[in-house]
Amino acid sequence: MFNILVVNMSENSRIIPIGSDHGGFELKQYLIKNLSEAGYKFKDFGTYSTESVDYPDYIHPVAKSVNDGLYEKGIVICGSGQGANMTANKHQKIRSALCWDTEQAKLTREHNNANIIALPGRFVNFDTAVEMVKIFFNTEFEGGRHQVRIDKIPL
Ligand code: RB5
């Protein structure tokens, strides 16, 4: 007998992979709670407590899942957002954008077709972060001259 793993992309495209280290844990939980109530669905890659961990261990799996096409866009969080952003951007098909306000979240979708939003858990208002995520996941890429530019990013 064959065991065939069928990944339902249309279903997965509505699920948001999310991961953080301890510095981003509280914001991750806040986003999952508040956005789940608004109908968003998440795949939580951890971490699952405020115990100190190494952010690449939790950010790489999120970035890999988007890079592999399992999910469309994701969220990574650490204390400053910097380490999470750097880690995610090591994946060839990832364009991760460190965002700290709603305008950044909108622009990086419109101009960079960012597929991961990196958030600074210790430097952003949590309700602002909720708004940033809503905007990030509901703003379309403009294409055109911006497509030409993002095509020049990969080495
Ligand atoms: C952890 O203390 C902190 O270094 C981490 O969350 C992040 O800010 C790294 O870039």
Side-chain angles (χ1 to χ4, degrees), residues 50-85:
T50 53
E51 185 184 335
S52 183
V53 293
D54 300 329
Y55 55 81
D57 294 340
Y58 296 88
I59 305 308
H60 277 310
V62 175
K64 185 177 187 311
S65 75
V66 176
N67 196 71
D68 290 349
L70 202 51
Y71 303 101
E72 214 172 274
K73 296 195 282 286
I75 303 172
V76 297
I77 315 168
C78 66
S80 64
Q82 303 285 5
N85 194 42

Side-chain angles (χ1 to χ4, degrees), residues 96-97 99 103-114 136:
S96 176
C99 294
E103 190 62 15
Q104 291 284 339
K106 183 168 179 283
L107 269 178
T108 198
R109 284 290 311 130
E110 290 174 344
H111 289 193
N112 313 119
N113 201 13
F136 187 82

Side-chain angles (χ1 to χ4, degrees), residues 9 19 22 26-27 42 46 54 57 62 74 80 86 98-101 105-106 114-115 118 128 130-131 137 141 145 148:
M9 270 309 292
H22 54 291
E26 283 171 8
L27 177 56
F42 292 91
D54 300 329
D57 294 340
V62 175
S80 64
M86 290 176 190
L98 175 59
C99 294
W100 54 91
D101 65 24
K106 183 168 179 283
N115 50 11
T128 302
V130 168
E131 291 312 307
F137 283 87
F141 178 46
R145 69 185 189 283
V148 175

